[in-house]
Amino acid sequence: MATLHTGDISLHVQRLRPSKGRAPIGTALLLHGLFTDSLASYYFTLAPALAAVGFDVVMYDHRGHGRSDRPLSGYHLDAFITDLDDVISHLGISGPVHLVGNSYGGTVAFGYAVRRPERTSSLLVIESEPATEAWARKMRCLFPRITTELCEDEARALSEITSHYDPRTARLAKSAARLARETTILQDIPASTVLTEAQIQSVSCPVLAVYGGDGDLVAQAPRLNALLSDCRTTIVPGHEHSVLIEAPKLLRALAVSWLCGTGTGTHGSLETEDS
């Protein structure tokens, strides 16, 4: 465990390296989602498998999440992209990186690929989409519900979560309620600067987008295929937004196949076993 001080904020960072004496085949930087997520979700899904095949794996808690600082304001998308840039710079990572983003983490990854194309080797985004005007409208509709459910009736919401889920989920929900109640995140993210269609089309690195077949975001698949010059999409039937947690074996196989393929200049078969 390490705390990285960027000058603006302190971020909790974890790093899994390949076995001793083995040179890494690349750097995989894993970005988690919002509110009830943290870097811990990758510890039980993708991170160990990627380190085992030779990647230098870097994870960190987004600002306001996990063990990173929770400033009162400063939660626009650009701030999250700058945090990613700072992590890469402060760790002295040389060469382009493979970005893996779940949910909002994928939105951050898309933004970074637009800002820093020379530092982005590939994108693997899970249940995610780039920040467009349509995305911002969706956030403006969704976030008032979070205000109601987590802030205005927090006791009832936490009671229901505690009775239906494990203690860890209840702790994450309590932390998410504090983040929503005590910071400007609910106002900042919907007001973020969005990408133009031309900016999205400028992403030239290989992209793999994974969607749960029963989720709302699966409609993004044909749009990304049309916009991006080097994009593949994979649909996981029977899953919604939590596909990373619900189908970890399948996602591990996809991630290893994809990152190893992009690291050697080929995409591989992307065949997976059932979850």
Side-chain angles (χ1 to χ4, degrees):
M1 180 178 70
T3 300
L4 190 153
H5 304 282
T6 69
D8 173 54
I9 195 170
S10 294
L11 299 171
H12 170 224
V13 180
Q14 294 277 6
R15 197 168 190 172
L16 296 182
R17 299 179 185 270
S19 57
K20 190 174 181 180
R22 182 177 182 181
I25 60 176
T27 300
L29 215 152
L30 315 185
L31 304 161
H32 67 77
L34 285 176
F35 295 112
T36 57
D37 205 359
S38 72
L39 68 78
S41 63
Y42 284 117
Y43 260 114
F44 304 102
T45 54
L46 306 185
L50 292 175
V53 297
F55 284 95
D56 179 12
V57 180
V58 177
M59 302 160 281
Y60 67 95
D61 288 326
H62 287 308
R63 57 175 56 216
H65 294 73
R67 297 180 181 179
S68 290
D69 282 353
R70 179 179 288 165
L72 297 179
S73 60
Y75 291 91
H76 293 85
L77 176 59
D78 279 347
F80 289 87
I81 297 170
T82 297
D83 289 342
L84 171 55
D85 206 17
D86 287 342
V87 167
I88 292 171
S89 296
H90 281 72
L91 292 181
I93 297 171
S94 60
V97 298
H98 301 277
L99 298 178
V100 180
N102 182 47
S103 190
Y104 186 71
T107 304
V108 176
F110 272 117
Y112 187 81
V114 170
R115 185 192 293 188
R116 295 282 201 174
E118 76 285 358
R119 301 300 311 275
T120 310
S121 183
S122 73
L123 299 183
L124 166 54
V125 296
I126 305 161
E127 273 291 301
S128 185
E129 60 186 312
T132 62
E133 183 53 46
W135 169 86
R137 287 196 301 270
K138 189 187 303 181
M139 295 301 103
R140 287 193 288 269
C141 292
L142 173 64
F143 279 23
R145 284 171 43 200
I146 296 175
T147 302
T148 300
E149 294 172 7
L150 283 182
C151 300
E152 295 178 7
D153 200 358
E154 180 181 341
R156 181 191 58 78
L158 293 178
S159 176
E160 289 184 1
I161 291 169
T162 302
S163 64
H164 288 90
Y165 298 97
D166 57 84
R168 177 179 176 275
T169 302
R171 288 196 300 272
L172 288 172
K174 188 173 183 178
S175 178
R178 284 195 1 252
L179 177 63
R181 186 179 62 249
E182 297 175 1
T183 74
T184 60
I185 190 169
L186 294 178
Q187 294 77 45
D188 290 352
I189 288 180
S192 296
T193 301
V194 298
L195 300 175
T196 65
E197 188 169 285
Q199 285 176 312
I200 297 170
Q201 289 175 320
S202 74
V203 176
S204 58
C205 67
V207 177
L208 174 64
V210 181
Y211 296 106
D214 297 341
D216 296 337
L217 285 176
V218 70
Q220 289 291 323
R223 173 171 167 75
L224 286 182
N225 281 326
L227 281 175
L228 300 175
S229 61
D230 190 357
C231 179
R232 290 190 178 193
T233 53
T234 295
I235 311 303
V236 184
H239 293 281
E240 298 184 8
H241 195 60
S242 299
V243 62
L244 173 65
I245 302 302
E246 294 172 356
K249 185 177 179 181
L250 186 148
L251 266 294
R252 278 194 295 271
L254 272 175
V256 168
S257 177
W258 176 253
L259 268 69
C260 286
T262 54
T264 58
T266 63
H267 293 313
S269 65
L270 295 180
E271 291 180 359
T272 63
E273 299 178 44
D274 206 358
S275 60

PDB file of all heavy atoms in Angstrom, residues 60-80:
ATOM      1  N   TYR A  60      -5.580   2.498  -8.212  1.00  0.00           N
ATOM      2  CA  TYR A  60      -5.676   3.528  -7.188  1.00  0.00           C
ATOM      3  C   TYR A  60      -7.136   3.867  -6.944  1.00  0.00           C
ATOM      4  O   TYR A  60      -7.994   3.651  -7.794  1.00  0.00           O
ATOM      5  CB  TYR A  60      -4.887   4.792  -7.571  1.00  0.00           C
ATOM      6  CG  TYR A  60      -5.418   5.556  -8.757  1.00  0.00           C
ATOM      7  CD1 TYR A  60      -6.283   6.643  -8.590  1.00  0.00           C
ATOM      8  CD2 TYR A  60      -5.048   5.214 -10.060  1.00  0.00           C
ATOM      9  CE1 TYR A  60      -6.763   7.357  -9.679  1.00  0.00           C
ATOM     10  CE2 TYR A  60      -5.519   5.921 -11.150  1.00  0.00           C
ATOM     11  CZ  TYR A  60      -6.376   6.991 -10.952  1.00  0.00           C
ATOM     12  OH  TYR A  60      -6.849   7.691 -12.031  1.00  0.00           O
ATOM     13  N   ASP A  61      -7.404   4.366  -5.722  1.00  0.00           N
ATOM     14  CA  ASP A  61      -8.747   4.838  -5.383  1.00  0.00           C
ATOM     15  C   ASP A  61      -8.931   6.238  -5.952  1.00  0.00           C
ATOM     16  O   ASP A  61      -8.108   7.128  -5.724  1.00  0.00           O
ATOM     17  CB  ASP A  61      -8.937   4.892  -3.866  1.00  0.00           C
ATOM     18  CG  ASP A  61      -9.041   3.514  -3.230  1.00  0.00           C
ATOM     19  OD1 ASP A  61      -9.595   2.609  -3.867  1.00  0.00           O
ATOM     20  OD2 ASP A  61      -8.566   3.355  -2.079  1.00  0.00           O
ATOM     21  N   HIS A  62     -10.023   6.446  -6.693  1.00  0.00           N
ATOM     22  CA  HIS A  62     -10.331   7.785  -7.180  1.00  0.00           C
ATOM     23  C   HIS A  62     -10.476   8.762  -6.016  1.00  0.00           C
ATOM     24  O   HIS A  62     -10.783   8.372  -4.879  1.00  0.00           O
ATOM     25  CB  HIS A  62     -11.658   7.780  -7.948  1.00  0.00           C
ATOM     26  CG  HIS A  62     -11.589   7.134  -9.291  1.00  0.00           C
ATOM     27  ND1 HIS A  62     -10.646   7.468 -10.238  1.00  0.00           N
ATOM     28  CD2 HIS A  62     -12.374   6.178  -9.850  1.00  0.00           C
ATOM     29  CE1 HIS A  62     -10.845   6.736 -11.329  1.00  0.00           C
ATOM     30  NE2 HIS A  62     -11.874   5.955 -11.116  1.00  0.00           N
ATOM     31  N   ARG A  63     -10.287  10.011  -6.293  1.00  0.00           N
ATOM     32  CA  ARG A  63     -10.542  11.055  -5.290  1.00  0.00           C
ATOM     33  C   ARG A  63     -11.938  10.864  -4.699  1.00  0.00           C
ATOM     34  O   ARG A  63     -12.908  10.584  -5.411  1.00  0.00           O
ATOM     35  CB  ARG A  63     -10.386  12.449  -5.895  1.00  0.00           C
ATOM     36  CG  ARG A  63     -11.278  12.736  -7.100  1.00  0.00           C
ATOM     37  CD  ARG A  63     -11.154  14.186  -7.558  1.00  0.00           C
ATOM     38  NE  ARG A  63      -9.786  14.545  -7.863  1.00  0.00           N
ATOM     39  CZ  ARG A  63      -9.265  15.746  -7.623  1.00  0.00           C
ATOM     40  NH1 ARG A  63     -10.014  16.712  -7.102  1.00  0.00           N
ATOM     41  NH2 ARG A  63      -8.007  15.999  -7.923  1.00  0.00           N
ATOM     42  N   GLY A  64     -12.032  10.982  -3.387  1.00  0.00           N
ATOM     43  CA  GLY A  64     -13.311  10.805  -2.708  1.00  0.00           C
ATOM     44  C   GLY A  64     -13.663   9.366  -2.392  1.00  0.00           C
ATOM     45  O   GLY A  64     -14.645   9.120  -1.695  1.00  0.00           O
ATOM     46  N   HIS A  65     -12.873   8.411  -2.872  1.00  0.00           N
ATOM     47  CA  HIS A  65     -13.197   7.001  -2.723  1.00  0.00           C
ATOM     48  C   HIS A  65     -12.108   6.257  -1.949  1.00  0.00           C
ATOM     49  O   HIS A  65     -10.949   6.670  -1.932  1.00  0.00           O
ATOM     50  CB  HIS A  65     -13.351   6.352  -4.097  1.00  0.00           C
ATOM     51  CG  HIS A  65     -14.518   6.868  -4.884  1.00  0.00           C
ATOM     52  ND1 HIS A  65     -14.519   8.126  -5.460  1.00  0.00           N
ATOM     53  CD2 HIS A  65     -15.710   6.305  -5.201  1.00  0.00           C
ATOM     54  CE1 HIS A  65     -15.671   8.314  -6.090  1.00  0.00           C
ATOM     55  NE2 HIS A  65     -16.400   7.231  -5.950  1.00  0.00           N
ATOM     56  N   GLY A  66     -12.509   5.144  -1.351  1.00  0.00           N
ATOM     57  CA  GLY A  66     -11.546   4.289  -0.671  1.00  0.00           C
ATOM     58  C   GLY A  66     -10.714   5.047   0.335  1.00  0.00           C
ATOM     59  O   GLY A  66     -11.226   5.781   1.174  1.00  0.00           O
ATOM     60  N   ARG A  67      -9.385   4.908   0.217  1.00  0.00           N
ATOM     61  CA  ARG A  67      -8.469   5.541   1.154  1.00  0.00           C
ATOM     62  C   ARG A  67      -7.823   6.792   0.583  1.00  0.00           C
ATOM     63  O   ARG A  67      -6.878   7.317   1.172  1.00  0.00           O
ATOM     64  CB  ARG A  67      -7.390   4.530   1.577  1.00  0.00           C
ATOM     65  CG  ARG A  67      -7.962   3.331   2.313  1.00  0.00           C
ATOM     66  CD  ARG A  67      -6.872   2.362   2.722  1.00  0.00           C
ATOM     67  NE  ARG A  67      -7.430   1.211   3.411  1.00  0.00           N
ATOM     68  CZ  ARG A  67      -6.717   0.185   3.872  1.00  0.00           C
ATOM     69  NH1 ARG A  67      -5.395   0.184   3.713  1.00  0.00           N
ATOM     70  NH2 ARG A  67      -7.304  -0.830   4.479  1.00  0.00           N
ATOM     71  N   SER A  68      -8.299   7.254  -0.552  1.00  0.00           N
ATOM     72  CA  SER A  68      -7.798   8.521  -1.101  1.00  0.00           C
ATOM     73  C   SER A  68      -8.467   9.700  -0.407  1.00  0.00           C
ATOM     74  O   SER A  68      -9.498   9.546   0.272  1.00  0.00           O
ATOM     75  CB  SER A  68      -8.069   8.589  -2.614  1.00  0.00           C
ATOM     76  OG  SER A  68      -7.255   7.670  -3.320  1.00  0.00           O
ATOM     77  N   ASP A  69      -7.887  10.896  -0.588  1.00  0.00           N
ATOM     78  CA  ASP A  69      -8.464  12.111  -0.001  1.00  0.00           C
ATOM     79  C   ASP A  69      -9.875  12.348  -0.523  1.00  0.00           C
ATOM     80  O   ASP A  69     -10.220  11.972  -1.649  1.00  0.00           O
ATOM     81  CB  ASP A  69      -7.606  13.325  -0.356  1.00  0.00           C
ATOM     82  CG  ASP A  69      -6.351  13.429   0.497  1.00  0.00           C
ATOM     83  OD1 ASP A  69      -6.206  12.638   1.451  1.00  0.00           O
ATOM     84  OD2 ASP A  69      -5.509  14.300   0.188  1.00  0.00           O
ATOM     85  N   ARG A  70     -10.672  13.000   0.323  1.00  0.00           N
ATOM     86  CA  ARG A  70     -12.040  13.355  -0.048  1.00  0.00           C
ATOM     87  C   ARG A  70     -12.194  14.873   0.039  1.00  0.00           C
ATOM     88  O   ARG A  70     -12.695  15.419   1.026  1.00  0.00           O
ATOM     89  CB  ARG A  70     -13.042  12.658   0.869  1.00  0.00           C
ATOM     90  CG  ARG A  70     -14.496  13.014   0.552  1.00  0.00           C
ATOM     91  CD  ARG A  70     -15.444  12.275   1.485  1.00  0.00           C
ATOM     92  NE  ARG A  70     -15.485  10.875   1.159  1.00  0.00           N
ATOM     93  CZ  ARG A  70     -15.993   9.922   1.962  1.00  0.00           C
ATOM     94  NH1 ARG A  70     -16.464  10.251   3.132  1.00  0.00           N
ATOM     95  NH2 ARG A  70     -15.999   8.673   1.586  1.00  0.00           N
ATOM     96  N   PRO A  71     -11.767  15.607  -1.000  1.00  0.00           N
ATOM     97  CA  PRO A  71     -11.933  17.061  -0.965  1.00  0.00           C
ATOM     98  C   PRO A  71     -13.415  17.431  -1.016  1.00  0.00           C
ATOM     99  O   PRO A  71     -14.240  16.658  -1.484  1.00  0.00           O
ATOM    100  CB  PRO A  71     -11.191  17.538  -2.220  1.00  0.00           C
ATOM    101  CG  PRO A  71     -11.216  16.364  -3.131  1.00  0.00           C
ATOM    102  CD  PRO A  71     -11.160  15.145  -2.260  1.00  0.00           C
ATOM    103  N   LEU A  72     -13.738  18.633  -0.564  1.00  0.00           N
ATOM    104  CA  LEU A  72     -15.128  19.079  -0.560  1.00  0.00           C
ATOM    105  C   LEU A  72     -15.642  19.342  -1.970  1.00  0.00           C
ATOM    106  O   LEU A  72     -16.830  19.208  -2.249  1.00  0.00           O
ATOM    107  CB  LEU A  72     -15.271  20.340   0.292  1.00  0.00           C
ATOM    108  CG  LEU A  72     -14.945  20.184   1.786  1.00  0.00           C
ATOM    109  CD1 LEU A  72     -15.106  21.524   2.506  1.00  0.00           C
ATOM    110  CD2 LEU A  72     -15.850  19.130   2.421  1.00  0.00           C
ATOM    111  N   SER A  73     -14.744  19.715  -2.879  1.00  0.00           N
ATOM    112  CA  SER A  73     -15.139  20.025  -4.249  1.00  0.00           C
ATOM    113  C   SER A  73     -14.047  19.542  -5.200  1.00  0.00           C
ATOM    114  O   SER A  73     -13.014  19.028  -4.773  1.00  0.00           O
ATOM    115  CB  SER A  73     -15.381  21.527  -4.419  1.00  0.00           C
ATOM    116  OG  SER A  73     -14.196  22.249  -4.122  1.00  0.00           O
ATOM    117  N   GLY A  74     -14.295  19.730  -6.505  1.00  0.00           N
ATOM    118  CA  GLY A  74     -13.281  19.342  -7.483  1.00  0.00           C
ATOM    119  C   GLY A  74     -13.506  17.959  -8.066  1.00  0.00           C
ATOM    120  O   GLY A  74     -12.557  17.176  -8.200  1.00  0.00           O
ATOM    121  N   TYR A  75     -14.753  17.640  -8.450  1.00  0.00           N
ATOM    122  CA  TYR A  75     -15.080  16.303  -8.946  1.00  0.00           C
ATOM    123  C   TYR A  75     -15.525  16.301 -10.407  1.00  0.00           C
ATOM    124  O   TYR A  75     -16.195  15.373 -10.845  1.00  0.00           O
ATOM    125  CB  TYR A  75     -16.159  15.669  -8.063  1.00  0.00           C
ATOM    126  CG  TYR A  75     -15.662  15.333  -6.675  1.00  0.00           C
ATOM    127  CD1 TYR A  75     -15.782  16.251  -5.633  1.00  0.00           C
ATOM    128  CD2 TYR A  75     -15.043  14.122  -6.418  1.00  0.00           C
ATOM    129  CE1 TYR A  75     -15.318  15.958  -4.365  1.00  0.00           C
ATOM    130  CE2 TYR A  75     -14.575  13.819  -5.151  1.00  0.00           C
ATOM    131  CZ  TYR A  75     -14.713  14.729  -4.123  1.00  0.00           C
ATOM    132  OH  TYR A  75     -14.238  14.439  -2.862  1.00  0.00           O
ATOM    133  N   HIS A  76     -15.161  17.330 -11.161  1.00  0.00           N
ATOM    134  CA  HIS A  76     -15.433  17.292 -12.588  1.00  0.00           C
ATOM    135  C   HIS A  76     -14.580  16.201 -13.239  1.00  0.00           C
ATOM    136  O   HIS A  76     -13.511  15.840 -12.733  1.00  0.00           O
ATOM    137  CB  HIS A  76     -15.130  18.648 -13.231  1.00  0.00           C
ATOM    138  CG  HIS A  76     -16.055  19.741 -12.781  1.00  0.00           C
ATOM    139  ND1 HIS A  76     -15.824  20.461 -11.623  1.00  0.00           N
ATOM    140  CD2 HIS A  76     -17.213  20.222 -13.305  1.00  0.00           C
ATOM    141  CE1 HIS A  76     -16.801  21.350 -11.468  1.00  0.00           C
ATOM    142  NE2 HIS A  76     -17.656  21.225 -12.470  1.00  0.00           N
ATOM    143  N   LEU A  77     -15.031  15.685 -14.362  1.00  0.00           N
ATOM    144  CA  LEU A  77     -14.325  14.606 -15.046  1.00  0.00           C
ATOM    145  C   LEU A  77     -12.878  14.965 -15.314  1.00  0.00           C
ATOM    146  O   LEU A  77     -11.973  14.118 -15.184  1.00  0.00           O
ATOM    147  CB  LEU A  77     -15.054  14.255 -16.348  1.00  0.00           C
ATOM    148  CG  LEU A  77     -14.399  13.203 -17.247  1.00  0.00           C
ATOM    149  CD1 LEU A  77     -14.231  11.871 -16.524  1.00  0.00           C
ATOM    150  CD2 LEU A  77     -15.224  13.025 -18.522  1.00  0.00           C
ATOM    151  N   ASP A  78     -12.609  16.200 -15.697  1.00  0.00           N
ATOM    152  CA  ASP A  78     -11.233  16.610 -15.988  1.00  0.00           C
ATOM    153  C   ASP A  78     -10.309  16.393 -14.794  1.00  0.00           C
ATOM    154  O   ASP A  78      -9.121  16.093 -14.967  1.00  0.00           O
ATOM    155  CB  ASP A  78     -11.190  18.080 -16.410  1.00  0.00           C
ATOM    156  CG  ASP A  78     -11.569  18.278 -17.871  1.00  0.00           C
ATOM    157  OD1 ASP A  78     -11.624  17.274 -18.610  1.00  0.00           O
ATOM    158  OD2 ASP A  78     -11.812  19.434 -18.266  1.00  0.00           O
ATOM    159  N   ALA A  79     -10.843  16.549 -13.572  1.00  0.00           N
ATOM    160  CA  ALA A  79     -10.019  16.336 -12.376  1.00  0.00           C
ATOM    161  C   ALA A  79      -9.621  14.873 -12.252  1.00  0.00           C
ATOM    162  O   ALA A  79      -8.486  14.550 -11.870  1.00  0.00           O
ATOM    163  CB  ALA A  79     -10.774  16.792 -11.127  1.00  0.00           C
ATOM    164  N   PHE A  80     -10.543  13.955 -12.570  1.00  0.00           N
ATOM    165  CA  PHE A  80     -10.224  12.526 -12.514  1.00  0.00           C
ATOM    166  C   PHE A  80      -9.188  12.158 -13.580  1.00  0.00           C
ATOM    167  O   PHE A  80      -8.312  11.325 -13.335  1.00  0.00           O
ATOM    168  CB  PHE A  80     -11.493  11.698 -12.710  1.00  0.00           C
ATOM    169  CG  PHE A  80     -12.456  11.733 -11.557  1.00  0.00           C
ATOM    170  CD1 PHE A  80     -13.410  12.741 -11.463  1.00  0.00           C
ATOM    171  CD2 PHE A  80     -12.416  10.760 -10.568  1.00  0.00           C
ATOM    172  CE1 PHE A  80     -14.309  12.768 -10.409  1.00  0.00           C
ATOM    173  CE2 PHE A  80     -13.313  10.785  -9.505  1.00  0.00           C
ATOM    174  CZ  PHE A  80     -14.256  11.791  -9.422  1.00  0.00           C
TER     175      PHE A  80
END
